Amino acid sequence: ADLAALPAALRQPASRYPVTLYAGRNCAPCDVGRDLLVQRGIPFAEKRIDTNADLDAYVKFSGGRTLPLLTVGSQQIKSGSLSDWNSYLDAAGYPKTSALPASYRRPMPTPLAGNALPPGAIPASAPGPEPENQTPRAPAGNTPNIRF
């Protein structure tokens, strides 16, 4: 994201603690997490886990196969709990309500393994791995142990 185009309230957290959503297609918990980020006006990148190469890269990166995963800076939030996500976003200094201008456009999701096709290319129709959806666990305590 072009940080200079962001409102002042978002520039510092977005530069210090960039947010990335790791998600798959047809993943209801991923959609719920994405909706939270959009509603809160969080500028974020989205990495898609659609192919076996993406899945291999994701397992290597995260140590698991559960989606969604949110990163805030270097912190991985593997819980699908929106209250956990909000706690980390709050701790990183993101505003609780959207400060994004109406003209802001989210970047398109990109494949995790970087096997993006050139613009205009027609992808081969290969079935991707189904993400393993996991029921979000309740947080162990009221406040997550947040370290950046």
Side-chain angles (χ1 to χ4, degrees):
D2 179 14
L3 296 178
L6 294 176
L10 287 169
R11 256 182 247 133
Q12 185 173 359
S15 65
R16 294 181 66 199
Y17 308 113
V19 174
T20 303
L21 172 67
Y22 296 83
R25 293 185 198 278
N26 304 317
C27 167
C30 301
D31 295 342
V32 170
R34 184 181 308 102
D35 289 347
L36 168 77
L37 296 173
V38 170
Q39 285 169 1
R40 245 187 102 153
I42 306 295
F44 67 98
E46 182 173 340
K47 296 293 185 180
R48 293 295 288 270
I49 316 303
D50 287 333
T51 66
N52 288 331
D54 293 337
L55 184 59
D56 291 345
Y58 180 71
V59 169
K60 193 175 292 184
F61 167 73
S62 72
R65 298 168 75 89
T66 304
L67 294 173
L69 170 77
L70 186 71
T71 59
V72 180
S74 61
Q75 193 72 40
Q76 291 187 15
I77 301 99
K78 295 180 181 180
S79 155
S81 163
L82 297 186
S83 64
D84 285 357
W85 288 25
N86 277 318
S87 295
Y88 281 96
L89 293 166
D90 292 347
Y94 283 97
K96 291 183 184 300
T97 57
S98 180
L100 288 174
S103 61
Y104 179 79
R105 295 291 173 259
R106 281 191 305 122
M108 293 299 292
T110 58
L112 179 58
N115 54 354
L117 295 167
I122 299 172
S125 57
E130 284 297 314
E132 294 178 16
N133 294 328
Q134 188 178 50
T135 304
R137 295 179 297 286
N142 290 343
T143 308
N145 180 13
I146 300 172
R147 289 172 281 112
F148 292 103

